[in-house]
Amino acid sequence: MNAEAGRLAPGSTIGIIGGGQLGRMLSMASAQLGYRCHIYAPEEAPCAADVAARHVQGDYADEGALRDFAQQVDVVTYEFENVPAGPLCSLADIVPVQPNVAALELAQDRLSEKDYVVSHGGRPADYRAVSSLDDLQDALQAIGTPAILKTRRFGYDGKGQVRIKDADEAARAWAEIGEKPSVLEAHVRFEKEFSILIVRANDGTVRVWDAPENRHEDGILAQSSAPGGGIVAEQKAAAGDLARTIADTLDYVGVLTCEFFASAEGPVFNEMAPRVHNSGHWTIEGAATSQFENHIRAICGLPLGDTGVMAERVEMHNLIGGAADDWAQWLETNRAHLHLYGKGEARPGRKMGHVTQLF
Ligand code: AMP
């Protein structure tokens, strides 16, 4: 790190924890700016390693291996939020870890995250902490049905969630969630879903991308369109203010994603991810600076780039499972940009790539 400017000069090495497509696209953005990336991931051949200078295979909980990894790089970031916070904390005396571990810990626990959002003026769906069947029955009384029981930790892409239509399903739902500490959430009657992608530099400068409208299928993001119109356009300023407050109060550095439901009562906070996000993939061709480049700029102490939209409308389609077999067709479509992640087997539900179309 060039201490004078607080900058990590191009030519330095960035350590990325996690080896999936987010790490792959972060590594490609780093290379464009002249950095080298090392990937730390438990898999033998993670797709990020194909485009990185080095891959270290190791368990996320192996503090010794993580410390060795940190010795070889100039800054550490992560592309995956289910990394145990303890071992990551111990890296901070070797190299800067960005976004900071406090932000990671907050985002790892749905309950703390919602409490934090409420204490900073945001509004999640009505929720209650649940640690027993009795708690769940009380929570169902208080919130009513339909409701969704979500594990506090390790949920993603709709996993770790059970929908409850009627209070007499409590015992089944508690068993299905594995009797794990959870949060019961009211089912939100929303018109649309959207996200706020914000990037914050170490001097506190913030840039926000235009909010995409997101459509999910089976709990997995299927499509993002930017800029989101109608109710999303109406509610993005209030949601953006909340995301900014969260980023400022956490002294956050890097890209932060907050997901919202646009409802008749205003924006309802769903969850946050302390990282680049699938709903920001459209920014690679659709914005002046992509989420990946701005994340790298932020963690390296460089000035942030313009986040303006580069077309009237931008659409990102995820290629999930067998949908990636249509790759040749996308190459024949004008103003469509194909991204394949180089993953082997196209299992159902697996994110194999995406396409961004500019209109
Ligand atoms: P999550 O993993 O919490 O983002 O949930 C995945 C998807 O499930 C969301 O994008 C929504 O489509 C739906 N969902 C989650 N929580 C709720 C809720 N409280 N009310 C209505 N739909 C929800």
Side-chain angles (χ1 to χ4, degrees):
M1 185 82 67
N2 172 345
E4 213 180 317
R7 280 186 184 173
L8 189 61
S12 308
T13 303
I14 298 168
I16 301 176
I17 299 182
Q21 63 270 16
L22 301 178
R24 181 179 171 99
M25 290 183 271
L26 281 170
S27 188
M28 288 160 77
S30 306
Q32 186 187 330
L33 293 173
Y35 295 98
R36 294 157 54 82
C37 281
H38 290 185
I39 304 290
Y40 184 99
E43 295 86 12
E44 204 178 297
C47 72
D50 287 348
V51 297
R54 187 165 172 229
H55 165 223
V56 174
Q57 188 177 5
D59 195 280
Y60 292 131
D62 186 341
E63 192 170 318
L66 277 165
R67 286 182 70 84
D68 287 347
F69 176 76
Q71 307 277 7
Q72 310 296 318
V73 301
D74 300 298
V75 62
V76 163
T77 190
Y78 45 88
E79 58 102 75
F80 169 69
E81 68 263 40
N82 290 330
V83 184
L88 213 56
C89 249
S90 85
L91 306 188
D93 61 328
I94 303 172
V95 281
V97 177
Q98 300 289 15
N100 62 51
V101 183
L104 175 73
E105 282 188 289
L106 187 68
Q108 284 179 338
D109 181 353
R110 283 190 191 274
L111 181 62
S112 315
E113 183 181 288
K114 288 179 196 299
D115 289 345
Y116 194 82
V117 162
V118 169
S119 71
H120 289 88
R123 192 166 68 86
D126 199 6
Y127 67 98
R128 294 286 184 285
V130 169
S131 16
S132 66
L133 178 56
D134 276 354
D135 283 354
L136 177 56
Q137 279 158 342
D138 291 348
L140 282 164
Q141 279 290 324
I143 286 176
T145 51
I148 307 183
L149 187 63
K150 299 183 180 177
T151 52
R152 280 176 66 169
R153 294 176 166 275
F154 303 125
Y156 66 98
D157 283 349
K159 294 191 178 69
Q161 303 192 3
V162 179
R163 287 170 191 249
I164 304 180
K165 291 203 186 79
D166 196 280
D168 67 12
E169 297 167 21
R172 174 198 55 86
W174 182 237
E176 216 172 297
I177 210 81
E179 304 191 355
K180 294 199 185 96
S182 301
V183 178
L184 185 74
E185 262 181 49
H187 187 270
V188 178
R189 260 193 284 267
F190 58 82
E191 277 181 48
K192 288 183 171 171
E193 292 187 73
F194 69 101
S195 48
I196 296 290
L197 288 125
I198 184 170
V199 59
R200 187 172 180 276
N202 59 8
D203 66 358
T205 310
V206 158
R207 301 248 191 180
V208 186
W209 284 269
D210 214 324
E213 176 188 335
N214 302 323
R215 196 170 50 74
H216 293 80
E217 282 169 15
D218 302 324
I220 303 177
L221 184 69
Q223 191 185 319
S224 293
S225 321
I231 193 168
V232 173
E234 284 161 33
Q235 300 191 356
K236 67 184 179 190
D241 287 348
L242 176 63
R244 190 187 174 128
T245 302
I246 295 171
D248 283 342
T249 51
L250 288 171
D251 197 18
Y252 193 94
V253 174
V255 170
L256 171 71
T257 307
C258 295
E259 294 184 77
F260 291 88
F261 302 118
S263 81
E265 289 78 42
V268 176
F269 172 89
N270 178 24
E271 61 181 358
M272 65 187 242
R275 54 167 171 78
V276 287
H277 192 261
N278 196 168
S279 66
H281 290 1
W282 64 272
T283 61
I284 297 177
E285 294 88 7
T289 312
S290 78
Q291 60 166 349
F292 300 102
E293 179 174 339
N294 259 345
H295 184 77
I296 297 302
R297 289 189 187 212
I299 65 168
C300 293
L302 308 183
L304 301 179
D306 174 23
T307 49
V309 186
M310 300 296 278
E312 210 164 294
R313 190 162 55 86
V314 186
E315 268 179 27
M316 188 286 308
H317 309 271
N318 264 342
L319 301 177
I320 296 172
D325 295 342
D326 297 335
W327 58 269
Q329 227 168 288
W330 285 112
L331 292 176
E332 287 170 16
T333 309
N334 280 344
R335 291 165 70 84
H337 300 268
L338 176 69
H339 297 253
L340 293 173
Y341 306 148
K343 295 180 177 178
E345 197 195 341
R347 289 192 296 272
R350 193 172 197 204
K351 292 174 179 171
M352 303 300 292
H354 73 266
V355 172
T356 300
Q357 284 186 281
L358 305 185
F359 297 95

